[in-house]
Amino acid sequence: AQKITQTQPGMFVQEKEAVTLDCTYDTSDPSYGLFWYKQPSSGEMIFLIYQGSYDQQNATEGRYSLNFQKARKSANLVISASQLGDSAMYFCAMRGGGGSQGNLIFGKGTKLSVKP
Amino acid sequence: NAGVTQTPKFRVLKTGQSMTLLCAQDMNHEYMYWYRQDPGMGLRLIHYSVGEGTTAKGEVPDGYNVSRLKKQNFLLGLESAAPSQTSVYFCASSFDYGYTFGSGTRLTVV
């Protein structure tokens, strides 16, 4: 069965520093996609970054990068130069291939707090 | 640029009452989903649809029914609400690897 594990319920980071949010996954599908979403206190789900299982390079989007280590089945999110507005819940999610029909499976999330 | 619209945004129900949550998307997406979010649990899939007229069960389908009579709409029904169904409900639609979420419906069952 497919599974996403986020082991950090909460994290603190100083403003302007970098922070890494951990995500490990489990799947037997050779083709899959990994996502990170941000959920601020207002509640909406904001897409941050995507990594495909066959992508050769780690995905980057502005201050966000995904540290994809396929052999370790990890897909950590790195936020560089943290800002106060980065304080939010962060969810790692996976879309499997084959018969998954596009469903996203989510981890339990990590609450990030940025300190001024 | 509406994207995915959920109605209503908030609702309080009494135990045993029924209601329908409406999800509408204007992106012509085939796939649509209903998730619930509970504290400390992330988002869990209730039901999903791969096209007009089709529905399938997700991880936590008990107590819910869905219908997809029109491609753009995906309805989630609670026939007899229970306090355990107090949650935030998210609808989403997708095309390829692009997912769009609605802003959520906060449902409280008392």
Side-chain angles (χ1 to χ4, degrees):
Chain A
Q2 298 178 326
K3 186 178 180 181
I4 292 283
T5 302
Q6 294 181 255
T7 58
Q8 305 155 313
M11 286 193 69
F12 288 91
V13 65
Q14 203 69 36
E15 191 179 9
K16 300 182 183 178
E17 292 186 349
V19 62
T20 298
L21 306 183
D22 294 341
C23 173
T24 58
Y25 61 92
D26 189 18
T27 181
S28 57
D29 289 324
S31 175
Y32 51 90
L34 296 157
F35 301 74
W36 277 92
Y37 285 86
K38 173 184 179 181
Q39 187 180 45
S41 58
S42 52
E44 70 268 32
M45 296 293 289
I46 301 170
F47 168 76
L48 295 178
I49 197 166
Y50 167 78
Q51 178 87 40
S53 59
Y54 294 120
D55 293 344
Q56 294 297 314
Q57 293 190 334
N58 287 345
T60 61
E61 291 284 352
R63 295 187 298 112
Y64 304 106
S65 60
L66 199 151
N67 184 1
F68 181 46
Q69 298 189 40
K70 197 169 183 177
R72 294 185 176 184
K73 293 189 174 180
S74 75
N76 299 339
L77 176 71
V78 180
I79 305 175
S80 63
S82 297
Q83 302 172 356
L84 295 178
D86 294 334
S87 294
M89 283 291 293
Y90 289 81
F91 292 98
C92 180
M94 175 171 62
R95 177 192 189 278
S100 71
Q101 302 292 357
N103 302 336
L104 287 180
I105 298 166
F106 285 84
K108 294 184 178 182
T110 295
K111 184 175 182 179
L112 178 66
S113 299
V114 181
K115 298 186 290 184
Chain B
N1 58 340
V4 174
T5 302
Q6 291 183 232
T7 309
K9 296 191 184 305
F10 304 92
R11 185 75 185 266
V12 178
L13 281 180
K14 292 183 178 179
T15 298
Q17 287 184 323
S18 63
M19 78 163 294
T20 300
L21 281 68
L22 172 63
C23 177
Q25 53 100 358
D26 61 0
M27 297 167 287
N28 204 36
H29 288 169
E30 290 290 344
Y31 289 15
M32 296 187 73
Y33 316 85
W34 275 107
Y35 289 89
R36 61 176 289 173
Q37 182 179 20
D38 302 297
M41 294 296 295
L43 277 72
R44 293 181 293 169
L45 184 67
I46 305 171
H47 286 280
Y48 64 97
S49 169
V50 301
E52 182 177 311
T54 75
T55 63
K57 294 180 180 180
E59 179 187 355
V60 288
D62 293 344
Y64 305 95
N65 56 76
V66 289
S67 64
R68 183 107 181 261
L69 299 179
K70 294 184 178 181
K71 187 177 184 178
Q72 63 267 35
N73 295 336
F74 194 28
L75 278 62
L76 178 70
L78 287 73
E79 292 184 346
S80 179
S84 61
Q85 294 178 303
T86 293
S87 189
V88 179
Y89 293 85
F90 284 96
C91 176
S93 69
S94 73
F95 173 75
D96 197 8
Y97 287 95
Y99 291 78
T100 303
F101 284 82
S103 57
T105 295
R106 184 173 295 274
L107 175 66
T108 301
V109 183
V110 298

